Amino acid sequence: MKTKIRDLLIFNLIAVTFLYCYMFILYPENFSFFVCNEFVSNYSEYFKITFFIPISCDLELYLVGVRDISSIVEFDYNYQTRPLYLLYLKIFYFLFKNFIVNVTLLNFITFLTAHLVIVNITFFIFINSFNRNKLFLSNWRKYSVLFIMLLNPIFKFGIFDSSHQTLTFLQFVLSFYLLQKNITLNKKGYFIAFILGLLSLANMTFMICTFFLIFSNFKNKDININLIMRSIFVVIIVILPKIFWNYYISYQGFEPYNAATEYWRQFIWLKDFILVSYENINYNVEGGEYYCMSVPLFMKCYLRDFLNTLIYLGGPVILIIINLIFEKDSKSKEYSKDLKNIIFVSLTMFSFWAFMGWYPPLRLNLYSLGFLVTLILVTQLLNNSPTKRENLYFSIHFLYFLSLNHWNNVDIVNFNFGILTSYVLIVVYLLSLRNNYLTSSKP
């Protein structure tokens, strides 16, 4: 069943308008970003209401590159490694600049639109990762899936923020797609590798997709010299755009700058620790310091954050476990493969982020565990035939994630009415599954 672009745009407009009104007009006190963000109050004379626009501390820095992208090579610019993302934002910025006079609103709409396009691309790639012949995909389910993905904390808060975090969800789903499709390393594989290389100029994590592109070939074929050489060629293609970008900066007479490694020492701290005993231990969540650059301390910080993320996503995690228990005897081979591939991508990303050395509350684990939870919930919905419990299943997810606070909250979870109600509904859902199981088990 094809999705009409017009219907998708209408749905997005309704869904995002609902989220915005709920988060920034009705209950703004429940959805503070806590760190690096402030709510700017506005009053509408026409509607006679007060509304808020979240303004990130990174906004002005992003706008430097958006307004004049050629200038980002001339100094140690934090986002110099993301020229494609800045160019992408620039398109929307200059499009809306022609008819939005209010600067605050212009900046907000620019990032919101850019993020929503990423949401839709992520949705299409994910849906097309499955064997459609085995997928129970009605119009209701399509929009349910899109809304469930939209409610993932990274999307839910990220679409209203001047950030690049929504790209990490796209990277995760694209990795899953490549693992599912087993794309041969030929002309098509080389073209995809080039696209991954370009995308890495929006967010470096897209380079990790290369692993899944290559791995899907090795797991299904005998290892031989030809496959190894093709894999090496793919890696070369992926890194070429980055090499050309750095060469361009050097050609202009400037030095390439990577803030992640040169300022934050992310990932490369481990090399420095081994070679020169480098350490940076300054972990204080309330003080906004998140450095755990020491062995084995970094694992303690990361695993503690993982446990907090489990608490943060508690309701949906319980729902997934319940479903896995009751469907263990009815899982199809195709469905099992889908779950295994999602889990494999998540474990890979979990391992990757473990070595970052800088562990802001929950965020890195949301890049692996958070996406895992959302995509398994969606996969469980898509791969089972429609039942009366489907609406209850969706309601649990909807209530929990709609009511969930930002991950920067030092209390982890604000157990408000929506969160508590979702836990009650999980009990109802469990009892319904149990009764159905007992009924079907009777001779």
Side-chain angles (χ1 to χ4, degrees):
M1 187 177 294
K2 293 183 179 179
T3 303
K4 294 181 180 179
I5 299 297
R6 180 198 62 191
D7 295 341
L8 198 60
L9 290 174
I10 293 173
F11 176 83
N12 276 327
L13 181 61
I14 295 171
V16 171
T17 301
F18 166 76
L19 277 179
Y20 180 83
C21 291
Y22 186 80
M23 293 170 62
F24 303 116
I25 296 178
L26 296 177
Y27 303 106
E29 66 278 3
N30 293 338
F31 297 105
S32 170
F33 286 61
F34 294 98
V35 177
C36 188
N37 210 299
E38 65 173 324
F39 285 0
V40 175
S41 176
N42 295 266
Y43 183 76
S44 171
E45 291 288 348
Y46 183 80
F47 292 105
K48 304 299 180 184
I49 58 172
T50 298
F51 63 97
F52 295 88
I53 293 180
I55 305 294
S56 170
C57 63
D58 293 329
L59 174 61
E60 285 303 320
L61 194 57
Y62 269 112
L63 291 177
V64 169
V66 171
R67 290 168 181 155
D68 184 10
I69 195 169
S70 63
S71 69
I72 70 173
V73 304
E74 299 173 2
F75 63 103
D76 292 347
Y77 180 59
N78 275 22
Y79 305 129
Q80 191 183 97
T81 57
R82 302 172 192 164
L84 185 65
Y85 186 55
L86 294 172
L87 182 61
Y88 170 69
L89 293 170
K90 188 181 183 76
I91 294 170
F92 296 108
Y93 182 83
F94 280 94
L95 175 65
F96 295 130
K97 189 179 180 181
N98 294 323
F99 54 89
I100 299 180
V101 179
N102 185 302
V103 176
T104 301
L105 188 60
L106 169 63
N107 297 335
F108 180 71
I109 295 298
T110 294
F111 278 89
L112 175 62
T113 306
H115 289 311
L116 282 178
V117 172
I118 293 171
V119 170
N120 288 323
I121 294 173
T122 304
F123 165 75
F124 277 116
I125 292 176
F126 184 68
I127 291 299
N128 284 284
S129 299
F130 298 94
N131 181 347
R132 284 181 174 271
N133 295 328
K134 300 291 184 180
L135 212 59
F136 295 99
L137 193 63
S138 62
N139 272 326
W140 160 250
R141 281 193 164 184
K142 256 189 310 191
Y143 295 121
S144 295
V145 167
L146 182 54
F147 202 44
I148 287 174
M149 294 176 74
L150 195 58
L151 284 173
N152 178 279
I154 296 299
F155 274 159
K156 175 186 165 185
F157 292 102
I159 59 173
F160 300 114
D161 198 15
S162 51
S163 67
H164 68 288
Q165 293 164 359
T166 53
L167 287 173
T168 60
F169 205 160
L170 175 58
Q171 176 270 322
F172 189 103
V173 167
L174 184 55
S175 298
F176 173 65
Y177 174 87
L178 294 173
L179 202 57
Q180 290 275 95
K181 294 302 181 180
N182 300 319
I183 297 168
T184 304
L185 301 184
N186 51 23
K187 289 183 179 179
K188 182 178 180 180
Y190 299 152
F191 175 74
I192 290 175
F194 179 69
I195 296 299
L196 294 179
L198 289 179
L199 289 174
S200 72
L201 296 180
N203 188 309
M204 289 290 288
T205 57
F206 280 101
M207 282 193 172
I208 304 174
C209 296
T210 313
F211 167 76
F212 299 100
L213 174 62
I214 294 173
F215 179 82
S216 62
N217 282 264
F218 276 89
K219 72 174 182 177
N220 294 317
K221 298 178 182 178
D222 295 330
I223 299 176
N224 55 64
I225 188 64
N226 183 49
L227 184 55
I228 293 173
M229 293 304 295
R230 286 174 179 266
S231 300
I232 293 173
F233 188 54
V234 163
V235 173
I236 293 172
I237 293 173
V238 170
I239 64 176
L240 275 178
K242 175 66 174 175
I243 292 173
F244 286 141
W245 173 242
N246 285 343
Y247 175 78
Y248 168 77
I249 296 173
S250 300
Y251 181 77
Q252 296 297 312
F254 304 101
E255 287 289 327
Y257 177 71
N258 187 335
T261 57
E262 296 187 42
Y263 180 79
W264 300 101
R265 311 302 294 173
Q266 294 171 1
F267 298 105
I268 67 165
W269 71 268
L270 188 59
K271 171 184 70 71
D272 295 338
F273 176 85
I274 295 171
L275 296 179
V276 295
S277 300
Y278 170 86
E279 286 187 333
N280 187 358
I281 304 170
N282 187 7
Y283 190 78
N284 179 7
V285 174
E286 295 186 17
E289 300 293 343
Y290 316 122
Y291 293 97
C292 278
M293 295 179 176
S294 182
V295 179
L297 181 63
F298 81 102
M299 286 305 300
K300 180 180 178 181
C301 293
Y302 191 58
L303 292 176
R304 178 172 58 189
D305 190 74
F306 170 74
L307 294 176
N308 287 337
T309 308
L310 281 177
I311 296 171
Y312 183 71
L313 302 171
V317 169
I318 292 172
L319 187 61
I320 286 172
I321 293 172
I322 289 172
N323 279 326
L324 290 176
I325 291 173
F326 279 92
E327 66 187 13
K328 63 182 179 181
D329 297 326
S330 59
K331 286 190 294 187
S332 67
K333 186 177 180 181
E334 194 87 23
Y335 175 45
S336 296
K337 174 196 168 188
D338 297 339
L339 293 180
K340 287 176 182 177
N341 283 343
I342 293 174
I343 293 170
F344 180 66
V345 173
S346 183
L347 287 175
T348 303
M349 297 311 303
F350 178 83
S351 302
F352 170 77
W353 292 114
F355 297 99
M356 188 172 183
W358 186 71
Y359 306 103
L362 310 191
R363 192 192 308 174
L364 300 186
N365 275 289
L366 287 176
Y367 292 164
S368 55
L369 177 63
F371 298 155
L372 170 73
V373 168
T374 291
L375 297 187
I376 286 187
L377 285 169
V378 169
T379 303
Q380 289 179 335
L381 177 67
L382 291 177
N383 283 278
N384 291 299
S385 56
T387 65
K388 294 180 180 179
R389 286 186 298 275
E390 183 173 318
N391 291 336
L392 178 58
Y393 180 89
F394 176 79
S395 298
I396 293 169
H397 186 284
F398 173 81
L399 268 178
Y400 191 92
F401 279 111
L402 178 67
S403 307
L404 192 59
N405 51 269
H406 196 280
W407 59 83
N408 283 330
N409 189 341
V410 294
D411 296 326
I412 304 177
V413 176
N414 174 21
F415 287 96
N416 51 46
F417 179 78
I419 297 289
L420 294 175
T421 302
S422 68
Y423 274 107
V424 172
L425 292 179
I426 287 174
V427 175
V428 174
Y429 183 78
L430 172 61
L431 293 175
S432 174
L433 285 176
R434 178 179 177 275
N435 290 338
N436 181 71
Y437 178 78
L438 291 176
T439 303
S440 61
S441 299
K442 289 181 179 180

